[in-house]
Amino acid sequence: MITANYILPSKKYKQRITVFMVAAIVVALACFYTNFNPIGIFTQFRYVRELIGDMSPPNYKVLSENSSTLMSVLQTLSMAFLGSLYGGVIAIIIAFLAASNTMRYSGVRMLARFVLSFLRVIPSLVVILIFVIAVGPSTFAGMLTLVIITIGNFGKLFTEVIENVDNPPAEAIYSVGASRMQVIRYSIIPAILPTLVANLIFAFDVNIRGAIALGIFGGGGIGFQLQLAKSVLHYKDVSAIVSLIIVLVILTEKISDYLRRKILGEGKLK
């Protein structure tokens, strides 16, 4: 008599099959509703080859002969710096109002946390469009947008930094009769200052990329120059400006990492 041994699929295998099927259905529905043909990824590369041909070789003369290009780089750096500075300072102030160990009134904390959450969920493109309508296409509109983005992105981070301060130093100052403002001044601020400065430098690093992207939508700077070159079909100029942007982003990132390591100490930067 021959007996057959049947191996039933494990629970983990069934879970994987279920996840795969659900993901496949979601992808299929997304392609259907967006009228997207996945096969086009493999058949439409001729347009990419044509574009690469139009962009080669880059016209690097535009960087030296056109003074507005280098001026736009300075505008982008200024936008990122001012957006990080003003946005970071405002974010720190709101963070002190939102932190439980620096603000005793729960209503104020809830309002500050709501403001940070509200600013964090607004898309940056919506913000730049609002400021472009309000003040016109300019670097000023881009800088104001970066201020809002910095407050939303770093306000919650600063709040957590403040709340994670060790309690013993603050309690020691409280025990000798110090006020809440004195505890903040002599205990909390010295403890969080290096981290805040390092995060502000990181905000500048992030805002460089944001300033470039916002420039395409009217925020000025090198992104606006890229948009102008694209709109008049000067693709060789576009490739030269893109090369400049890549170099600018890499240099900014390296300098930012170096400064943050010096502030936080070697090996603490992740």
Side-chain angles (χ1 to χ4, degrees), residues 49-122:
R49 292 196 298 268
E50 293 174 0
L51 179 61
I52 294 175
D54 293 336
M55 296 177 65
S56 302
N59 180 24
Y60 290 112
K61 292 182 179 179
V62 71
L63 305 180
S64 57
E65 296 177 354
N66 191 354
S67 60
S68 61
T69 302
L70 296 179
M71 183 60 66
S72 63
V73 174
L74 297 179
Q75 291 175 348
T76 299
L77 292 172
S78 300
M79 288 166 53
F81 175 76
L82 294 177
S84 303
L85 179 62
Y86 294 147
V89 170
I90 297 173
I92 292 172
I93 294 174
I94 299 178
F96 274 105
L97 298 177
S100 57
N101 57 338
T102 56
M103 173 51 62
R104 68 175 69 182
Y105 303 108
S106 60
V108 177
R109 292 199 304 270
M110 292 177 60
L111 179 60
R113 291 176 183 270
F114 172 78
V115 170
L116 294 177
S117 299
F118 177 74
L119 295 179
R120 190 165 59 253
V121 300
I122 302 178

Side-chain angles (χ1 to χ4, degrees), residues 111-161:
L111 179 60
R113 291 176 183 270
F114 172 78
V115 170
L116 294 177
S117 299
F118 177 74
L119 295 179
R120 190 165 59 253
V121 300
I122 302 178
S124 57
L125 295 184
V126 174
V127 180
I128 184 62
L129 290 178
I130 293 174
F131 283 121
V132 165
I133 295 173
V135 302
S138 61
T139 54
F140 184 55
M143 188 272 290
L144 293 177
T145 303
L146 291 176
V147 169
I148 299 299
I149 294 174
T150 303
I151 296 173
N153 290 341
F154 289 88
K156 186 174 184 296
L157 175 62
F158 291 156
T159 302
E160 294 176 352
V161 170

Side-chain angles (χ1 to χ4, degrees), residues 43 165 190 243:
T43 61
V165 174
S243 302

